[in-house]
Amino acid sequence: RKEVEQDPGPFNVPEGATVAFNCTYSNSASQSFFWYRQDCRKEPKLLMSVYSSGNEDGRFTAQLNRASQYISLLIRDSKLSDSATYLCVVRGGGGGNKLTFGTGTQLKVEL
Amino acid sequence: DGGITQSPKYLFRKEGQNVTLSCEQNLNHDAMYWYRQDPGQGLRLIYYSQIVNDFQKGDIAEGYSVSREKKESFPLTVTSAQKNPTAFYLCASSISGTENFTFGSGTRLTVV
């Protein structure tokens, strides 16, 4: 089983739609959780951290369920510029400070 | 401006040759990392270093070597022993013990 699993997509959605991505992780000792965004042929960039209480940054909402080892990202009112691959990332759990990446979920927002 | 620089951006290598990818940071970060990305597989950790003159193998270290002689620099050598070297290579750095990772813009290596 992969340490971090995501649905690869692609998710093709119309502009203005709400889209949700899910991610599961296998190591219950994992300490920190993130969503990164990666544009085609570019490096990943931090989108947001994920906190146990859930957190929101504008149109983006992230949630963590430690009991189910499940992380989610909700994007409301999606824009064309949201088209990218979204990577679920987990840190810690016996591996020091290194990050473990999911394979990413591809989002395509269309007119 | 502080940042992390990878060079070259695109690199072509003949099969059987070693090649070294450069990674330099001026962020004063203690820790540095090398990841490899293949289509459909996400990023996988090759090597990481949390302090000068020390480094550890990641999940896919076979066929690669690194050095950390200076805090700013963490070069990665892809040796001829690496069976499938064609990939997108990403270097990252962080302050040890924090989650503030910065990535370089990557090197796309193609073996011909």
Side-chain angles (χ1 to χ4, degrees):
Chain A
R1 183 186 170 188
K2 288 182 182 176
E3 287 189 60
V4 180
E5 294 208 55
Q6 293 182 253
D7 180 343
F11 283 56
N12 297 325
V13 304
E15 202 174 15
T18 296
V19 60
F21 302 141
N22 301 322
C23 166
T24 57
Y25 60 96
S26 60
N27 190 336
S28 59
S30 298
Q31 298 165 351
S32 305
F33 310 89
F34 312 92
W35 284 100
Y36 274 70
R37 170 191 170 131
Q38 187 174 25
D39 291 294
C40 189
R41 305 176 81 85
K42 301 277 191 183
E43 74 274 22
K45 293 187 177 176
L46 179 65
L47 178 66
M48 60 196 301
S49 300
V50 187
Y51 302 117
S52 297
S53 54
N55 48 297
E56 192 173 302
D57 182 2
R59 297 183 292 109
F60 298 83
T61 301
Q63 294 199 307
L64 167 66
N65 183 324
R66 283 190 184 268
S68 302
Q69 294 177 206
Y70 170 96
I71 305 160
S72 66
L73 176 68
L74 186 77
I75 305 175
R76 290 182 300 280
D77 188 24
S78 52
K79 313 287 184 195
L80 294 174
S81 57
D82 294 334
S83 297
T85 296
Y86 291 83
L87 304 171
C88 178
V89 184
V90 172
R91 179 177 74 88
N97 198 40
K98 59 186 174 79
L99 301 180
T100 301
F101 288 77
T103 54
T105 299
Q106 189 180 10
L107 172 66
K108 295 180 181 178
V109 181
E110 302 164 333
L111 286 171
Chain B
D1 285 341
I4 183 166
T5 302
Q6 288 186 244
S7 62
K9 196 172 178 67
Y10 298 97
L11 182 60
F12 293 83
R13 183 198 92 178
K14 283 194 173 179
E15 202 168 343
Q17 291 179 343
N18 292 355
V19 65
T20 297
L21 311 185
S22 168
C23 179
E24 303 277 334
Q25 54 98 0
N26 60 3
L27 300 165
N28 201 32
H29 285 174
D30 301 306
M32 297 186 75
Y33 311 81
W34 274 104
Y35 286 88
R36 167 184 173 139
Q37 188 173 32
D38 296 278
Q41 293 212 43
L43 278 72
R44 291 182 291 166
L45 183 65
I46 304 172
Y47 267 99
Y48 64 104
S49 166
Q50 297 191 327
I51 196 168
V52 175
N53 292 321
D54 187 42
F55 48 82
Q56 284 78 42
K57 291 182 179 180
D59 302 315
I60 53 162
E62 186 176 349
Y64 299 98
S65 66
V66 293
S67 63
R68 188 86 187 277
E69 296 174 3
K70 298 186 300 181
K71 189 175 186 178
E72 302 80 18
S73 179
F74 192 40
L76 173 75
T77 297
V78 185
T79 75
S80 56
Q82 168 50 235
K83 291 182 171 39
N84 297 297
T86 295
F88 186 42
Y89 289 88
L90 285 157
C91 181
S93 69
S94 74
I95 298 171
S96 285
T98 76
E99 48 214 36
N100 185 14
F101 274 66
T102 301
F103 280 90
S105 56
T107 292
R108 199 165 292 276
L109 173 65
T110 303
V111 174
V112 297

